[in-house]
Amino acid sequence: MQGNYVCITKVNIYDEYGKVFAHEMLTNKGEEINFKDDTSCSTPIIIKFCELFGIDILAQNTKIIVKMGTQFKDFSRVLKLPSTNVLLAITEKDIINDHRVLLICKNLKKKGYSIIVGEYALKPGYSKILKIADYVWIDIQANSSNIRLIKSKISRLSLKCIAVRISTQAQCIEAINAGCTYFQGVLFENERALSLLEKQKIKNGN
């Protein structure tokens, strides 16, 4: 293919019943939304796509995750997206020693937008952003040894947890037992694995 182009791919995030809750956005290079850098699908790309084709094509009656850029340079543009269809992902780089970003997040919350933070926010020093956040993004593979501590923190803070990079049934059950309610990973490429979510929910008596 000649010329400049961007391919947007969606990765499903499922709820505890195995239904699609939201779509994670990937760029043409397959770069995932990462809470440590700015290489992923950025706000201007998403907004431009929505302007051309409408947000319904991306969201499909669910939600899309939009990663804010460093220093929130795209803050004013994100307001063009309907809050009911958008989850805003905030990177660690965005909020380090930046009170302006915290103020922007508070304003976005007032306008109905939901905020996702990475697992970095569970570390000491991030209490302010945790008070604003609605969801926390947990890499289940990288945090297997800390799962009990994570469970204690998200329960105390009443945060909704999105567990990502789930590749085995054991990791899925581990995430459910840790209190996670949303799930993403290669395990769910097999449709039969989706039934595991609801079966485990029933087993736990929820």
Side-chain angles (χ1 to χ4, degrees), residues 85-99:
N85 295 110
V86 173
L87 301 174
L88 299 176
I90 312 302
T91 72
E92 183 173 11
K93 185 185 295 184
D94 289 331
I95 67 172
I96 290 178
N97 299 321
D98 195 335
H99 298 293

Side-chain angles (χ1 to χ4, degrees), residues 73-84:
K73 58 187 177 182
D74 302 313
F75 161 63
S76 59
R77 298 196 69 190
V78 79
L79 296 176
K80 297 181 180 180
L81 301 177
S83 60
T84 52

Side-chain angles (χ1 to χ4, degrees), residues 2 18 29 37-38 54 69-70 80 103 117 119-120 132 142 152 187-188:
Q2 295 181 346
K29 294 182 180 180
D37 60 46
D38 281 319
T70 300
K80 297 181 180 180
L103 290 174
V117 294
E119 58 205 45
Y120 65 84
I132 300 172
S152 174
L187 174 67
F188 305 112

Side-chain angles (χ1 to χ4, degrees), residues 92 95-96 120-131:
E92 183 173 11
I95 67 172
I96 290 178
Y120 65 84
L122 298 177
K123 301 175 184 178
Y126 292 95
S127 59
K128 291 182 179 179
I129 192 67
L130 278 178
K131 291 178 181 178

Side-chain angles (χ1 to χ4, degrees), residues 129-204:
I129 192 67
L130 278 178
K131 291 178 181 178
I132 300 172
D134 301 282
Y135 303 86
V136 61
W137 188 278
I138 301 294
D139 183 331
I140 203 68
Q141 293 187 25
N143 289 278
S144 180
S145 61
N146 301 321
I147 205 68
R148 289 186 179 180
L149 179 60
I150 290 172
K151 180 178 181 179
S152 174
K153 287 187 175 181
I154 63 176
S155 176
R156 186 172 69 252
L157 296 165
S158 299
L159 285 169
K160 297 174 184 176
C161 181
I162 303 172
V164 301
R165 294 186 67 208
I166 298 173
S167 58
T168 68
Q169 288 192 12
Q171 289 172 347
C172 180
I173 293 172
E174 185 178 45
I176 292 171
N177 291 338
C180 297
T181 49
Y182 302 103
F183 311 88
Q184 178 266 323
V186 296
L187 174 67
F188 305 112
E189 291 177 3
N190 182 344
E191 290 187 5
R192 288 183 298 178
L194 293 175
S195 64
L196 176 65
L197 295 173
E198 188 166 6
K199 286 178 181 179
Q200 190 66 20
K201 181 177 177 64
I202 294 172
K203 181 180 177 181
N204 290 347

